[in-house]
Amino acid sequence: PSVLGVSTNADGTRNYAATPTPLKGLGGEIHDFSEVGFPVWPNLNVAMPRDTGFGTLASAQQTTENNIRMGVTACDKCHGDPDGSGPLAAPAQGDQIYSQPSRAACGSCHDDIVWTQPYAANGQTMPAQTNDSGCAGCHTNSGNSLDAKTAHVHPLTSSTLNTGMKITTSAVTPSTGTMLDPGEKLGVTLSITNDAGTNLDFTVTPGSTLALNVGVIGPTSNNNSLLYGPIPLGILGAVANSYTFNVPDRVRLEKIGAATGGADVFTTSKTPIWNYTGEKTVREGTVTATATTVATATVAQQNYMDVASATGFANNDYLVIDRGTANEEYMRVRRIVGARFWFNTRYDTAYNYQPYLRVAHAVGAAVEKITVSSKTETTAWSISDAANGKVTLVAGQFTAGKVVLMDYMSDWVMPSVYPPPLNDSTDLDETWGEWAGKNIVDGTYIVGIWGRYTWTYNPFGDNDANHNNSYPVTSLPNNKEFLVGAAATIVPYTLISSGENCNVCHNTLYFHGGSRRDFGTCILCHATAGSEDWPSYRGNNATPTAFPATDNKVTINFRTMLHKIHMGEELTNGSTYVIHGNNASSNTFDEINFPAVPGKVKHCDKCHGTSTVWKTPGDRSHPTQQTLPARVYRASCGSCHDSTAAAAHIDLQTSAAGAESCAVCHGTGRAYAVEIVHKNR
């Protein structure tokens, strides 16, 4: 609190106007430790419960409180578990942190307390404490809300409060045979229980919003993203021991026909139509006078388009391209930069809009603005045959000659080529291992399913709506490997030998507001080649009205992102590596200090564990369709060695044809092998 400018008033209330006091120490020079963060989740980004009266605070005061609430509570990470309830061995005197509270120990973190004054919080007031004699009277070893052990338990780590969510996939089944081939569907069988194994019935308990998501990536030798999206909750129905369904996919802005004004029957391109509430929309489209043309030829799966002029167009406009030709298709503009139309990123709430062009368009192709109006189901249209994709319009509800567009969900079909990566742009290409538009490669692929629901926790029962605390109860990932094509043997993803390597420092990982948990979920997006950060404005369901001129996009593939995050302040250009994360604010990592000693980030084994593949970066070139070789040393080694000189050295050792010669000096067994130059001495 002192670093944030928080102290205590004479009457015991909190003083938010105190002078901030940086935490400094001497060691030959002054060191400011105010930016150091304890790397243990969930506290790192999921706060402890709010105090009573939080809702009456000014906005700036609430922000300060939110920062304080993410302070350290995982005392056992250093002190161990005296009662043996946790995974850490206890030192001989570990229990003293609970049994012998003192002003010096407790006040080191709770330094807003002025010991010569009362201190009020949550309807209770502690009188002035001139010595330590009274501390243990209220703050007992255990047994009440004021004991140090109970007070430092994060709600998400309490098995009593948080009963948990567990997804178990028992089977992954291609539509034919045992291997999945392009054109086939993928079935899964899973169960959803709490941590104790009891089936969760989300219509009864916990009675809060549930979200299920699925990702498909592969091959494990160079993961590319094939699918990221939601699973409709309608599949659950009544509570059951297991649920079996095909992996779903969203179809957006598909032209299903042109209305005649009568009871038209149209057929969707994919079947079946998943007939669940909220997963289907039919629109009528009207072409306007605003038009332009394609300025640069596009290719299929491109998520942007350069036009002759963007005059008259705005963010969120609907378009028709190549109307009246075999290449006619419909898109929605999510961002306009100059004369470039950016379409929705694949991550934008999982295909809320068609994310990339379905077909190629030549220079001069017509681009026209359309207006759309949504039509009410049953009143204007209905699904007459879901299995065969039949949609019937109600006579008189659509204007003759108007285009009819449909959003719906159907079974995902294994593509014949790789789709673009998450948040694709022109910044990364095949030299980074991106295989967009290239043929599917035989090998081991991963389907991962995870979920969460919202749990409201009010520890003090004061019925203050602003005091209620919403927490994400998030499942651990449940990833299943399967074979594609002629592959015969499962080859696991081994760049990180185990997700438990992360937990040695972090206990467990919670990201994206706590809606993603643990390493296995992270790799479904961040292990994929070519994946990039969001644009400077997220532009999700919000209206993107204030985009900056540039994206400042960076790769979020783990081989670059994790290296940079853990290199932290040792990066030469750390302040320029910006990840926008889960909101519109920017986050840099140039204050992070990797805590392993000696050598800090030279401890590659801390993350990679027993895996040896990090010693020589693996080839990520497509086996049959690579034009330029993948530059694997640049992507991995250049992430930490980010100085201008290091980048020039890497480029100098790369031929004009894109071949890297790095292994001549840095390969296994060479004089400057990766494992030698990273050896801690």
Side-chain angles (χ1 to χ4, degrees), residues 406-430:
M406 186 170 186
D407 297 348
Y408 63 99
M409 185 164 281
S410 186
D411 296 345
W412 176 71
V413 175
M414 181 70 174
S416 58
V417 299
Y418 293 97
L422 303 175
N423 307 314
D424 191 27
S425 80
T426 57
D427 295 344
L428 303 183
D429 57 18
E430 64 177 351

Side-chain angles (χ1 to χ4, degrees), residues 291-336:
T292 186
T293 57
V294 174
T296 305
T298 70
V299 296
Q301 300 187 324
Q302 190 170 304
N303 69 337
Y304 67 92
M305 181 174 62
D306 294 324
V307 295
S309 171
T311 301
F313 292 89
N315 296 329
N316 285 325
D317 279 350
Y318 290 86
L319 310 176
V320 55
I321 310 166
D322 266 326
R323 180 165 61 100
T325 74
N327 290 334
E328 179 179 338
E329 68 173 316
Y330 294 80
M331 302 295 295
R332 191 180 189 190
V333 178
R334 292 298 277 162
R335 181 180 184 194
I336 300 175

Side-chain angles (χ1 to χ4, degrees), residues 42 46-52 54 69 122 144-147 149-163 206-208 453-473:
V46 182
M48 291 289 284
R50 299 166 175 171
D51 284 343
T52 298
F54 178 89
R69 293 191 300 125
N122 296 315
N144 65 64
S145 62
L146 294 177
D147 74 75
K149 187 176 295 185
T150 299
H152 288 88
V153 173
H154 193 287
L156 289 180
T157 65
S158 169
S159 58
T160 302
L161 297 174
N162 174 18
T163 57
S208 298
Y453 65 86
T454 302
W455 163 50
T456 300
Y457 175 52
N458 185 348
F460 301 107
D462 57 8
N463 295 318
D464 176 358
N466 290 292
H467 180 207
N468 292 333
N469 300 269
S470 292
Y471 286 103
V473 178

